[in-house]
Every structure is written in structure tokens, then in C-alpha cells.
């Protein structure tokens, strides 16, 4: 059981209180992301890919064999990557994806996952799920649901956009 006195201020050996609770929450998110992301970065690096590259491969696995244009992949990414073209270039060089022009409109280039890319995603599935369980499995389902709700709310201060498929959250 974690120490109830553990706080971000104590972890950072901060002598003065935070100026705003919003500042503390933001820094707490950043510190937590850093702690949770490190094992994933190590896992992916051990397989020769980065976290964003894994995200691209997962997206392409999810859409099946049709593939997607780079702009659509970018829209579906968990984190923004300003250079999607270069990211896909590296995946293509590793033979994990391929670019294909579609016959009906030669201007459109789709990115498709290769069998090698699909195999890599399959091999990483279990270790990724185990990491998720090891990192957050100590939280109850109710705590996880509450955390997810608060994180979505933090990302959308004006309310959740209708395009997200849910009604605007008016609770404060």
C-alpha cells in the first residue's frame, strides 16, 4: 500500500508549495507519464521500434489490409508526431509497412501493414498487456473508470466534443 503522505512535492523535494493546484496536477501527469512510459520505451526499443511506430502498427492492424493514408494515421495517433512521413519511412525500411498507390486515384498513397509488421504486433501484444496490468492493476475498476473520466475531462476543458461520440460533460 502506498504511503498516504507521498506527494509530488515530496518526490520533487520541493521546499515551497505549488503556486496553483492546476500546476501540481499538470506536473503530476508529466511525472506519471514519464514513469509509466519508460518500460514501454524499453520494450519497443528491444524490438527495434519506437512507441509512435508501435502506435502506427497497431492502427494499421486495426484497419485490416486496406491501409490508410498518412493523414488518417496521424489523426488516430495517441500522441502527435509532427513528421509522420519520416516515421512511416523508417517502418517501410524495416519492412513493417508498405506504401501502395491506389489505382482509382494515383495521388492517394495508402500505408499498409506487412505480414512482418503484423507478426511483430502479435508478438508484442502479451508483453504490452502484462505491462499495463503490472503498472495499473493495483487500481480497482472503479478507480480506473474515474481516472479515465478525469483524464478525458482534463483534455477537453470546454466539454467533450460531439465528434468524440459522447455528450458534452457539464459537471464541474
Amino acid at each position: 500500500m502506498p504511503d498516504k503522505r507521498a506527494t509530488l512535492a515530496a518526490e520533487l523535494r520541493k521546499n515551497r508549495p505549488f503556486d496553483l493546484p492546476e500546476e501540481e496536477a499538470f506536473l503530476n501527469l508529466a511525472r506519471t507519464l514519464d514513469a509509466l512510459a519508460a518500460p514501454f520505451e524499453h520494450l519497443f526499443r528491444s524490438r527495434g521500434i519506437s512507441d509512435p511506430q508501435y502506435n502506427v502498427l497497431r492502427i494499421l492492424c486495426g484497419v485490416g489490409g486496406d491501409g490508410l493514408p498518412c493523414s488518417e494515421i496521424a489523426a488516430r495517433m495517441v500522441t502527435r508526431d509532427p513528421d509522420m512521413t519520416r516515421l512511416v519511412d523508417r517502418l517501410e525500411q524495416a519492412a513493417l509497412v508498405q506504401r501502395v498507390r491506389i489505382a482509382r486515384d494515383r495521388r492517394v498513397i495508402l500505408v499498409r501493414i506487412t505480414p512482418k509488421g503484423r507478426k511483430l504486433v502479435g508478438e508484442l501484444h502479451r508483453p504490452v498487456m502484462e505491462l499495463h496490468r503490472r503498472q495499473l492493476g493495483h487500481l480497482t475498476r472503479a478507480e480506473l473508470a474515474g481516472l479515465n473520466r478525469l483524464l478525458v475531462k482534463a483534455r477537453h476543458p470546454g466539454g467533450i466534443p460531439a465528434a468524440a461520440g459522447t455528450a458534452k460533460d457539464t459537471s464541474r
Side-chain angles (χ1 to χ4, degrees):
M1 184 134 230
D3 182 354
K4 290 185 190 276
R5 293 169 293 156
T7 65
L8 179 62
E11 286 180 31
L12 299 177
R13 299 180 187 139
K14 192 165 171 38
N15 295 326
R16 295 182 315 109
F18 291 99
D19 292 334
L20 296 169
E22 294 86 351
E23 174 192 22
E24 181 179 8
F26 176 83
L27 295 174
N28 225 329
L29 283 168
R31 178 95 170 181
T32 302
L33 174 61
D34 185 61
L36 295 177
F40 287 98
E41 291 167 3
H42 177 74
L43 172 64
F44 299 141
R45 199 173 323 118
S46 76
R47 302 306 301 269
I49 62 172
S50 64
D51 184 40
Q53 288 172 323
Y54 176 72
N55 191 193
V56 169
L57 294 173
R58 286 290 308 260
I59 290 165
L60 293 173
C61 266
V63 298
D66 292 340
L68 293 171
C70 278
S71 60
E72 182 61 24
I73 295 169
R76 296 178 183 213
M77 293 287 287
V78 173
T79 57
R80 285 185 294 229
D81 192 303
D83 198 352
M84 183 58 61
T85 301
R86 199 171 292 166
L87 191 137
V88 171
D89 285 345
R90 289 190 296 272
L91 288 169
E92 189 173 37
Q93 289 166 358
L96 299 170
V97 302
Q98 63 181 355
R99 287 184 172 99
V100 180
R101 286 194 189 276
I102 60 172
R104 69 182 175 272
D105 186 348
R106 303 272 306 145
R107 296 170 296 174
V108 177
I109 299 173
L110 298 178
V111 180
R112 292 181 178 155
I113 192 163
T114 63
K116 181 179 176 183
R118 195 173 296 284
K119 181 177 186 247
L120 178 58
V121 170
E123 291 169 354
L124 285 168
H125 180 75
R126 186 174 177 162
V128 165
M129 293 302 111
E130 288 172 2
L131 268 174
H132 287 310
R133 281 189 206 101
R134 190 169 45 226
Q135 291 179 333
L136 299 173
H138 64 287
L139 300 175
T140 66
R141 288 203 181 267
E143 288 170 327
L144 288 167
L147 176 61
N148 281 314
R149 183 185 58 74
L150 289 172
L151 291 170
V152 169
K153 187 173 182 176
R155 254 192 332 276
H156 302 285
I160 299 169
T166 55
K168 184 176 178 177
D169 182 0
T170 56
S171 62
R172 286 245 166 205

